[in-house]
Amino acid sequence: MLPTPTLPVPGIDWLDDVPQDLTRALRSFLIGWYADVPMPPAPPPRAAMALPPPLLAFHDIAAGREELLGRQDFIKPLDEIEYLEDEPLVVVAAENQGVWVASIDPTDDDPVVWYDGGPERLRERERLGGFLLQFALNEAVNASPFSGFATITPEVLDRFVEDLVPVPLQPLRVPGDPTRHWVAPGLVAMAADYGDSGIWLSVGSRQRSALRPLRSRLDWEHFNG
């Protein structure tokens, strides 16, 4: 769905809540970013088991709007969350081609997030509350109607983000390790480090005007802003 041009550009005041209330930050970000996505009446989502408050809050915010659960990768619907075989962990998110799944201990209020899919199980740096916000930021970039990407060096990245505000969370492990985020009104930037293959810089917005000033900053491999 294309954005509604008359909507105000979403702000970044939600950053103020990140240090003390990640769920409130997530709610404010999602409500502002997806203001153009209709919110039809929907019954409250129900889970077949007790689950941590941050995950239930994410589903409450997304109720009736599947787009918020992810278009590139996805948060699993509550009624599809199941235990891993012979383990006390449940899968709550997955990469779109099955490269990884993210699992948690559902009995913890803000559990560690684990990745399965590589040669060994990896622990995410942030716990579930931080992971869900970073997941939402990834999707804001990857599924935006206006976006751009380029492969760059660390020096170019440093210059590019000078006017952007870093999201104060530890780097995410996916899609590259590390993956970091910066924001500006109406804009999210994501830098995924792939080592010898370079840094993949992606930017996204739901409003063309937020990306237009970036067109001249880099030799973009793709830019539809």
Side-chain angles (χ1 to χ4, degrees), residues 97-212:
Q97 295 180 319
V99 172
W100 54 262
V101 296
S103 57
I104 61 167
D105 176 355
T107 66
D108 192 325
D109 282 348
D110 192 19
V112 169
V113 176
W114 299 97
Y115 293 112
D116 287 291
E120 60 183 11
R121 177 170 286 171
L122 292 176
R123 175 175 176 156
E124 187 52 88
R125 295 179 179 92
E126 293 286 344
R127 287 179 170 265
L128 180 62
F131 166 80
L132 291 172
L133 177 56
Q134 291 171 310
F135 178 94
L137 292 168
N138 278 6
E139 287 299 308
V141 174
N142 292 327
S144 286
F146 305 112
S147 61
F149 64 81
T151 303
I152 61 174
T153 64
E155 294 75 21
V156 171
L157 175 62
D158 288 343
R159 293 195 298 271
F160 182 84
V161 301
E162 282 180 347
D163 299 329
L164 305 180
V165 181
V167 176
L169 293 171
Q170 299 179 83
L172 192 64
R173 293 196 184 276
V174 295
D177 190 4
T179 290
R180 293 172 288 167
H181 301 93
W182 294 261
V183 295
L187 170 73
V188 177
M190 175 179 72
D193 193 331
Y194 290 99
D196 292 342
S197 298
I199 296 172
W200 184 281
L201 173 66
S202 305
V203 296
S205 179
R206 299 187 71 80
Q207 295 169 306
R208 188 187 298 272
S209 60
L211 283 191
R212 206 170 278 137

Side-chain angles (χ1 to χ4, degrees), residues 15-166:
L15 282 172
D16 295 338
D17 287 322
V18 171
Q20 65 270 355
D21 193 335
L22 282 164
T23 295
R24 186 163 65 180
L26 175 67
R27 183 179 297 275
S28 296
F29 170 73
L30 289 174
I31 288 173
W33 190 264
Y34 294 101
D36 59 303
V37 179
M39 188 184 297
R46 300 183 65 179
M49 65 183 77
L51 291 167
L55 183 61
L56 295 176
F58 192 107
H59 282 276
D60 179 64
I61 300 164
R65 298 186 291 176
E66 291 186 4
E67 181 170 349
L68 276 66
L69 296 180
R71 290 283 182 87
Q72 173 76 15
D73 304 325
F74 59 93
I75 300 294
K76 296 196 71 169
L78 288 180
D79 59 0
E80 295 180 15
I81 292 177
E82 298 177 340
Y83 278 95
L84 288 169
E85 187 174 358
D86 299 324
E87 298 215 39
L89 302 176
V90 297
V91 175
V92 296
E95 197 268 346
N96 71 93
Q97 295 180 319
V99 172
W100 54 262
V101 296
S103 57
I104 61 167
D105 176 355
T107 66
D108 192 325
D109 282 348
D110 192 19
V112 169
V113 176
W114 299 97
Y115 293 112
D116 287 291
E120 60 183 11
R121 177 170 286 171
L122 292 176
R123 175 175 176 156
E124 187 52 88
R125 295 179 179 92
E126 293 286 344
R127 287 179 170 265
L128 180 62
F131 166 80
L132 291 172
L133 177 56
Q134 291 171 310
F135 178 94
L137 292 168
N138 278 6
E139 287 299 308
V141 174
N142 292 327
S144 286
F146 305 112
S147 61
F149 64 81
T151 303
I152 61 174
T153 64
E155 294 75 21
V156 171
L157 175 62
D158 288 343
R159 293 195 298 271
F160 182 84
V161 301
E162 282 180 347
D163 299 329
L164 305 180
V165 181

